[in-house]
Amino acid sequence: ELARITAVAPSTISGHLTRLLDAGICVTERQGRHSYVRIADGATARLLDDLACHAIPDRDAAHAVPVVAAPDPLVRARTCYDHFAGRLGMAVTDAMERRGLLHTQDAFELTEAGRAWCAEAGISLAGEGRRPLASSCLDWTERRRHLGGLAGARLRARAFEEEWVVRPEGGGRALEVTGAGERAFGDLLGLTPEAWS
C-alpha cells in the first residue's frame, strides 16, 4: 500500500522501513498474516510532525490518503473474531476510554470503573480460562486498535442477545445497528449513529 500511494518501488519502501524500524522511529504490529507499521510513540510522532511543518510547504492543507477500499457495511460495523470492529468497534473503544472505563495507552486494561460499568450493563466478566479481560486488536479498516478480549467478546454477545445488532440478509461479518441498539449505545456510552455511520 505504501508503494502504491507513494508511487515508489516496493523494494525501496522496504529498505526505508527497515531503517526506520532499526532506528526505533517505527514499530511493527502483526495481525494475522498482515504486518502493520506505525510510528513508535507519541513523542516521535510530535517530533516528525514538527519537522514536517518546516519541511513541507502547505503542510496544514487538508489531505487524505485512502488506505482501504472495503464495502461500506464492513467499514461501518462488523465482527472481528468475537468482538466489534469497524467504526462501531472504534466508537465503543473511544467512548470507553473517554469515560475512564478503559486504558488504551500501552496494553489495553479495563479499569475498576469499567468493571462496574460492565456489571451495570449486564456484561458478565466471569472467567474464560486465561483470556485477558481486555486486549487490543488492530482494525484493518480504521488502522487503529479496538477492544478485544473477554470484555469485547461479552459486549458483542450481549448486543446480539438483546438484538442491538443483527446480521444483514446474506450473513457475513457485517452488522446493522438496530433502533434498540442506537438507544442502548446512546444510554450506555453516549454514542449516536453518526459515530459509526
Side-chain angles (χ1 to χ4, degrees), residues 34 45 135 145 162 191:
H34 298 287
S135 65
R145 298 181 305 153
E162 299 296 324
L191 295 175

Side-chain angles (χ1 to χ4, degrees), residues 31-55:
Q31 183 79 29
R33 65 176 197 249
H34 298 287
S35 183
Y36 297 93
V37 178
R38 66 172 174 81
I39 296 172
D41 53 41
T44 305
R46 286 188 294 277
L47 174 64
L48 292 173
D49 201 42
D50 287 345
L51 288 171
C53 286
H54 293 287

Side-chain angles (χ1 to χ4, degrees), residues 99-151:
R99 290 170 172 245
L101 309 175
L102 179 70
H103 290 305
T104 63
Q105 186 58 33
D106 294 311
F108 275 29
E109 181 184 357
L110 206 61
T111 64
E112 285 303 318
R115 290 171 189 252
W117 176 86
C118 285
E120 290 169 17
I123 300 163
S124 170
L125 298 177
E128 192 176 282
R130 296 176 153 223
R131 187 171 192 185
L133 204 52
S135 65
S136 68
C137 187
L138 191 62
D139 196 292
W140 62 270
T141 54
E142 299 299 306
R143 301 297 167 95
R144 294 175 50 218
R145 298 181 305 153
H146 59 249
L147 175 65
L150 187 61

Side-chain angles (χ1 to χ4, degrees), residues 73-114:
L74 283 178
V75 172
R76 281 193 299 271
R78 68 179 182 280
T79 52
C80 175
Y81 304 105
D82 61 358
H83 53 271
F84 290 130
R87 291 185 193 133
L88 176 62
M90 291 310 312
V92 166
T93 302
D94 291 344
M96 290 182 72
E97 181 181 29
R98 275 193 310 273
R99 290 170 172 245
L101 309 175
L102 179 70
H103 290 305
T104 63
Q105 186 58 33
D106 294 311
F108 275 29
E109 181 184 357
L110 206 61
T111 64
E112 285 303 318

